[in-house]
Amino acid sequence: VVIVLQGRYAGKKAVIVKSFDEGTSERPYPHAVVAGIETYPLKVTKSMNKKKVAARSHVKPFIKIVNYSHLMPTRYSLELDDIKGAISSETFKEPSQRLAAKKAVRASFQKRYTTGKNKWFFTKLRF
């Protein structure tokens, strides 16, 4: 798990899906493909009904290629093998493929959140 430091998603938590230490011909610098949370789920209490709990448990993901210098590693880790199959370097060339990959990431994150695993990853960073 990393924290994005620069750009639109600065301060958001993300998971490295694939890393390119040497870079590529298009991007000659070290970078990584990350999947993270754009909108975190809101707080849920006992007094809320099921409909409200479902609405507040919504996770909105993002996928992005980020330079290593714009990422800060954390001591946490998150293994999501199903996401690695959905996202590749070709995903970013076609908007429809990107949307399909985002849906796969959302489903995976949503499942993770509802089971209660990796609680720290789904909480907003407060600083």
Side-chain angles (χ1 to χ4, degrees):
V1 176
V2 294
I3 296 171
V4 180
L5 300 175
Q6 298 287 323
R8 180 180 183 179
Y9 303 111
K12 305 289 183 182
K13 297 172 191 169
V15 179
I16 294 179
V17 178
K18 193 167 185 180
S19 58
F20 299 92
D21 294 329
E22 303 299 317
T24 60
S25 57
E26 299 162 349
R27 291 177 167 79
Y29 50 86
H31 60 278
V33 177
V34 298
I37 300 178
E38 186 176 337
T39 308
Y40 292 94
L42 300 170
K43 189 176 179 183
V44 175
T45 61
K46 283 183 185 177
S47 62
M48 294 179 187
N49 60 17
K50 286 183 182 178
K51 187 177 176 184
K52 192 164 189 176
V53 168
R56 294 176 73 88
S57 298
H58 181 77
V59 177
K60 186 177 180 187
F62 69 87
I63 54 173
K64 194 165 178 62
I65 298 173
V66 185
N67 190 332
Y68 275 179
S69 62
H70 301 236
L71 297 174
M72 184 176 82
T74 64
R75 63 189 178 131
Y76 299 95
S77 64
L78 189 69
E79 280 301 318
L80 295 169
D81 297 324
D82 48 340
I83 287 179
K84 290 181 181 178
I87 300 174
S88 65
S89 55
E90 278 73 47
T91 304
F92 296 93
K93 293 180 179 154
E94 185 70 35
S96 60
Q97 285 182 333
R98 191 182 184 115
L99 194 66
K102 252 188 182 177
K103 284 183 181 177
V105 171
R106 174 181 285 147
S108 180
F109 280 169
Q110 200 75 43
K111 193 173 96 182
R112 247 321 140 133
Y113 176 70
T114 52
T115 56
K117 292 182 179 175
N118 308 100
K119 196 170 182 176
W120 178 83
F121 184 70
F122 295 103
T123 55
K124 203 172 188 178
L125 206 60
R126 303 269 180 200
F127 57 91

